Amino acid sequence: MTAHLNEIEKNFISELSPIASLQDLEELRKRYFGRKGIFNDLLDKLKKLSSEQKQKEGQALNAVKESLEKSLQSKLKQLEETQLRAELEKNREDWSLPAAPLLIGSSHPLTQILEEVMETFVSMGFSVAEGPEIETDENNFGALNIPPDHPARDMHDTFYIRGNPQHLMRTHTSPVQIRVMRSQKPPVRIIAPGRVYRHEAVDATHSSVFHQVEGLAVDENVSFADLKGTIALACQRLFGKNVQTRFRPSYFPFVEPGAEVDISCTICRQSQSNCPVCKGTGWIEMMGAGMVHPNVFQAVGYPPEITGFASGMGIERIAMIRYGISDMRLFYENHLDFLSQF
Amino acid sequence: MKISLRWIEEILGQTLNLPIKDLSDLLLQLGFEVSSAQTYRQCQGITVAEVLEISKHPNADRLQIVLVTDGQETQKVVCGAPNLVPGRKVFWAKVGASLAQGDPLREATIRGVRSPGMLCSAKELGIGEDQSGLLYLPQETKLGTALESLVRLEDIILECEITPNRPDCLCQIGIAREIAAKLNRNLPEPQLKIPDMKTLPKYNVEVQDPQGCPRYSARKIEGVRVAASPLSLQVRLIRCGIRPINNIVDITNAVLLEIGQPLHAFDADKLAGGKIVVRRAKAGEAILALDGKTYPLDPEILVIADAKKPVAIAGIMGGEETAVTAQTQNILLESAQFDRRLIRNAKKRLNLASESSYRFERGVSAWSCVSGSDRALTLILDNSQTKITAAQDVASSLPAEPPVSLITSQIEKVLGEKISAIEIEDQLKKIGVPILSQEKESLTVRNPEWRLDLSRMVDYAEEIIRLRGYETIAPQGARIRLGSASYSDDKRRWKRDLRQTLNSLGFYEAYNYGFVSEKSCRDCADRAQPVAIENPLAEDQSLLRPSLLTELLKNLQTNLSYQKKDIRLFEIGTTFHKKENGLEEKEMISAAACGNAQLPFWKSPEPRPIDFFWLKGVIERIFSQLHVNDTVWQPFHHASFHPHFSFLIEKEQAGRKTSIGVAGLIHPQISKEWNYSEPVALMELDLAALLEDAARQKKISPVPRTPAIQRDCSVWIPETVSWNEIFREIRNAGGNVLENCVVFDQYTDSNFTGKKSLSFTLTFRDPVKTLEDAAANSLRDQIIQRLNKKFQAELRKKV
């Protein structure tokens, strides 16, 4: 029987080595190790032997069987690895094909700037205040020291409401100052963001609708120096820490002293005489500001010892400078080709 | 306002020697923005010549050959001017001459004819823009006179922006005064030669409206000779934007530019009754003004009249019939002060503005009224033949501005910088502020006569830092007590979160103008009354938007026309409605979308367009973010909305119903009109209603540690039963252990008419113990039984 075993071993090895597919290997396995395979057959024969012989022959048989099974497993592993490699090779794709498209929108550029401005002032202790877009003549002009027939009204031509001659579309967010001060005692520290209107035909640099953020700080000892410090810091936060601010005299009826605030040109950094943004002056006009006029405090019933400052800036203007946009209409046409760039 | 640097230097009696940039910066620091500057150079090599003979150019129809002489040299010059007249005096620029622009003139050959120099128009000399013809000189000008000896042309003209509070700077003297103050220089008094008028007869002036005209000065001057002004005066006027007329009118305009006082000269012989009446116009009166137009007048308008009728619209424009002409011999010179509001109002009523009205509506001072009259008189009387024969000054005693007391501590409070009384005095003296008294910590001052804008301490505070420079105030932090947070602070955060959610769902944010037409409004909005604008910019922008959807739909169409396919836009903005007791503003969040739910991708199957259920998903996402629960969706019937997939959404809380908004698909009929066949989804939600519960605190559950068991079921159920009803029963039957129920299939089969098959996955979980299979099966059976009992639903047999 031992001689026979040797022959089986020899045959198995010679059959195993040329096998190249898992299927052939399985057939080989069945033929040798299956229920009706060669080894089961030998085991059956073994049962008929004497116990002494059984033990001797059995040990030999098991040793051969284990050795052959080991070879089979190793062949199996080898074939599986080959197959996996082949599959990976087969399913290889061009990685440079386009990625899965994810549709994700974005906030409007004006929202993004508005948020930045609000964030800046909120971080300095200002609170957000809002008011209606349809205002009374009194809130938009009268209480702000712009009486009827004041020449400053020339710059505030607006839309009037049919059937409500005392109502108009607000020309600035300053009436929010009036509303807040009429309903709240000092201290007041607010910013009023919002949409404002002017009776102007729309073109590249004019708009019948635009956005402003107004700031107001009122308490017993607020000074022009505080205004300068607050605005200078706000401008650094908004436009970069190296930005310079320049205050110069100007006139808005609801403040005195009044100022125009310029920032150093963020585009050419005061280095180009032909800079299209600052026109070579090195400065960009950024906002109006000043100390709240005593007549305004009087109109809202604040005591005369109160002082405060106000400032106001245009959001479209900042966005145009920031993004190099020269046509204001782009903000209101809502082309995906425009919006998707922000 | 145009400023002539040479004129300013003449007033200051000294040259400034400042480059334009430094001068512009100086004016900017004073509060006057220079928007442009133009430099003119002196032209040289140009002499006065006479046109002798004109002959045709042999090779060009439009050109002529002109024989000219300057007394020493006679030449033939080619000229294209259409106004050539023999015998007239002109400027002849000879070869080598330098004109206003360009290189020195070279001898040219024009269409084959040699031309030694050229004859000049105003433009070539840099006097004005007029190049329509030659500039003619008065006949008495001597031949051969060099241009330089007649007129100095070099100058710098600055266009200055003067804020409405500074009418005193709407003239050369005003700006000169400011520059002198900033540079610490002296401003000499104007040179005046005024005859004694006390003994003169009084001219008959009657001011019927002393409030409208607090001051009126009349000067009758006889023996004037009306002619063209000297070239130097003409140049000055043209460069400052005023057209020369004749010597009298030019003088009044020169004074307007120099001192800021609008003056008017009447032909005294044409004033009926030899008198002036300042009164309101009578209804039905009209006037032919100097601009050649007739203006109807009314009692709101102040006029200057003679004995019979209006001869000028006060402060705005004179009348044609009493104008100074070449025949005029005697004039009446008016210098007055008028009420600002009255002039502004008249300007608006007549839609007629002028250099005069611009100054009167901002304010003309008593100082300029007197000095202007005196200055004009000095210039007119410069001629020995003219003499003043009558005068009158009517002035109601105007209340003078009261003295202002300036206390250093109060000024420090406003400015945040301590400035001593001595420095305050020094600064204010520079601009001519009279100091009435001065103590250690305070002083009493009065406004200079020409300053109408100084009446309070803060006005002087501004003057002090304006002269010191705004940069001298050291910045400080805002020393303000902290206030309290507002609802708007919260709202701002919620809006920001909402935007982020919509962005993540593929929506871009849109901004629209908010003006809509009546038609588009009818098409799209709900039944609320829109608010109309009295003065719209255009007919199709006559309403304030009652809904954001009108414009968003337009945005979709625009983008479709730009070949965009997958478009999702939203806007947060105000809508306007008329209500019984006034106007209402509501902030809305609205969206419009069309195209694919998922973008086309080379690996995915056929893309699927968005539909109602996609929109519902968007809305439910927003609701869950803002804790909006218990919403009721009612069918919405509107011609523009899809008949089956449009809903009014309401919120029901404690028996109270609040409308949240509308959502649905656009009616296919509408999108068909724009040649679009896929679904278009819309929503408009009331932001205030949406945010009502946004502040509610989230309740967070712990992570379940027990396993869940899932069971799939498919049932046949009558088609008419809605998922809302089915789900309610499933939830009731499943109890707390039913964690989730997800529909994964729905279909109908012609063999089962009136029924639909619904397949759903039930997820059960007991939070405290592991659920047995048997328990899950029994829960599922319980649910099926409930559906069977309620709706006769049957389990679908496995195929």
Side-chain angles (χ1 to χ4, degrees), chain B residues 78-104:
Chain B
V78 177
C79 180
N83 64 337
L84 278 166
V85 181
R88 298 291 299 266
K89 302 269 172 67
V90 294
F91 278 127
W92 173 19
K94 294 187 176 179
V95 172
S98 65
L99 298 172
Q101 280 173 338
D103 296 330

Side-chain angles (χ1 to χ4, degrees), chain B residues 312-328:
Chain B
I313 307 163
I316 302 180
M317 196 172 277
E320 179 69 37
E321 290 172 34
T322 52
V324 173
T325 66
Q327 287 73 46
T328 300

Side-chain angles (χ1 to χ4, degrees), chain B residues 452-589:
Chain B
L452 303 174
D453 59 323
L454 302 178
S455 60
R456 289 172 173 271
M457 180 270 283
V458 285
D459 299 327
Y460 290 95
E462 179 177 84
E463 289 307 292
I464 295 161
I465 54 168
R466 205 168 62 86
L467 294 164
R468 272 177 130 230
Y470 275 25
E471 72 281 0
T472 62
I473 304 295
Q476 288 175 357
R479 292 159 299 170
I480 312 163
R481 290 168 288 162
L482 288 173
S484 54
S486 68
Y487 169 71
S488 295
D489 288 314
D490 295 335
K491 199 166 100 178
R492 177 185 150 243
R493 278 194 294 273
W494 294 325
K495 283 200 310 204
R496 192 185 54 199
D497 294 349
L498 258 177
R499 284 190 177 102
Q500 275 172 6
T501 299
L502 283 166
N503 291 160
S504 71
L505 295 170
F507 286 86
Y508 285 101
E509 188 181 14
Y511 270 50
N512 281 293
Y513 289 110
F515 300 113
V516 296
S517 69
E518 274 181 42
K519 190 188 166 296
S520 67
C521 222
R522 267 201 309 277
D523 286 351
C524 202
D526 57 50
R527 286 144 288 210
Q529 285 271 318
V531 179
I533 297 168
E534 186 63 47
N535 54 337
L537 285 172
E539 198 51 45
D540 62 352
Q541 300 169 19
S542 62
L543 300 180
L544 293 176
R545 57 184 175 189
S547 158
L548 309 183
L549 292 175
T550 323
E551 290 167 297
L552 282 173
L553 277 178
K554 250 195 207 149
N555 300 152
L556 279 196
Q557 288 176 67
T558 307
N559 278 296
L560 284 170
S561 75
Y562 275 68
Q563 289 112 39
K564 294 284 171 281
K565 291 194 174 68
D566 309 303
I567 309 159
R568 299 177 195 178
L569 292 170
F570 78 98
E571 182 167 6
I572 299 179
T574 308
T575 60
F576 305 86
H577 308 275
K578 250 196 274 191
K579 288 196 93 183
E580 265 175 55
N581 47 359
L583 306 164
E584 184 189 45
E585 292 184 26
K586 265 190 187 174
E587 204 171 5
M588 303 302 244
I589 178 161

Side-chain angles (χ1 to χ4, degrees), chain A residues 105 119 127 219 226 295 305, chain B residues 413 456 477 481 489 492 503:
Chain A
E119 198 61 55
S127 204
D219 203 350
D226 294 321
N295 287 351
E305 64 271 16
Chain B
K413 194 171 152 172
R456 289 172 173 271
R481 290 168 288 162
D489 288 314
R492 177 185 150 243
N503 291 160

Side-chain angles (χ1 to χ4, degrees), chain A residues 93 97-101 103-108 110-111 114-115 118-119 122 127-128 130 132-134 148-151 153-155 158-162 164 169 187 189 195 197 199-202 207-209 211 217-226 228-230 246-251 256-259 285 291 293-295 298 305 307 329 331-337 339-340, chain B residues 25 28-31 33 163-165 341 344-345 347-348 361-362 412-416 456 458-459 461-462 465-466 470-482 484-486 488-489 491-492 495-496 499 503-515 531-537 544-545 555 558-559 562 564 566-569 571 574 576 583 585 599-603:
Chain A
E93 268 168 343
L97 277 165
L103 190 52
I104 294 185
S106 59
S107 289
H108 194 279
L110 294 178
T111 296
L114 262 166
E115 278 290 331
M118 285 197 282
E119 198 61 55
V122 164
S127 204
V128 180
E130 291 171 301
E133 292 173 23
I134 300 179
D149 291 321
H150 191 284
R153 288 200 177 200
D154 283 350
M155 291 173 274
T158 189
F159 299 97
Y160 290 85
I161 305 302
R162 179 165 296 166
N164 289 269
M169 302 313 288
R189 187 153 28 169
R195 185 182 262 255
Y197 298 78
H199 196 270
E200 273 186 335
V202 171
S207 187
S208 52
V209 169
H211 294 76
V218 177
D219 203 350
E220 276 157 12
N221 276 303
V222 179
S223 72
F224 191 77
D226 294 321
K228 283 189 75 175
T230 306
R246 177 175 79 173
F247 282 67
R248 55 186 167 86
S250 190
Y251 172 68
E256 186 79 26
E285 205 171 294
M291 300 303 293
H293 198 285
N295 287 351
Q298 201 185 337
E305 64 271 16
T307 53
R329 288 169 292 199
F331 293 123
Y332 294 89
E333 285 170 348
N334 302 313
H335 285 291
L336 287 184
D337 287 330
L339 296 176
S340 60
Chain B
D25 281 348
L28 198 69
Q29 283 169 32
L30 287 162
E33 226 174 299
T163 49
N165 59 325
R341 293 173 61 173
R344 183 175 162 85
N345 190 27
K347 177 198 92 171
K348 283 166 94 177
E361 67 175 301
R362 281 160 178 75
E412 184 185 354
K413 194 171 152 172
V414 170
L415 298 180
R456 289 172 173 271
V458 285
D459 299 327
E462 179 177 84
I465 54 168
R466 205 168 62 86
Y470 275 25
E471 72 281 0
T472 62
I473 304 295
Q476 288 175 357
R479 292 159 299 170
I480 312 163
R481 290 168 288 162
L482 288 173
S484 54
S486 68
S488 295
D489 288 314
K491 199 166 100 178
R492 177 185 150 243
K495 283 200 310 204
R496 192 185 54 199
R499 284 190 177 102
N503 291 160
S504 71
L505 295 170
F507 286 86
Y508 285 101
E509 188 181 14
Y511 270 50
N512 281 293
Y513 289 110
F515 300 113
V531 179
I533 297 168
E534 186 63 47
N535 54 337
L537 285 172
L544 293 176
R545 57 184 175 189
N555 300 152
T558 307
N559 278 296
Y562 275 68
K564 294 284 171 281
D566 309 303
I567 309 159
R568 299 177 195 178
L569 292 170
E571 182 167 6
T574 308
F576 305 86
L583 306 164
E585 292 184 26
L599 292 188
F601 179 42
W602 55 273
K603 260 191 136 163

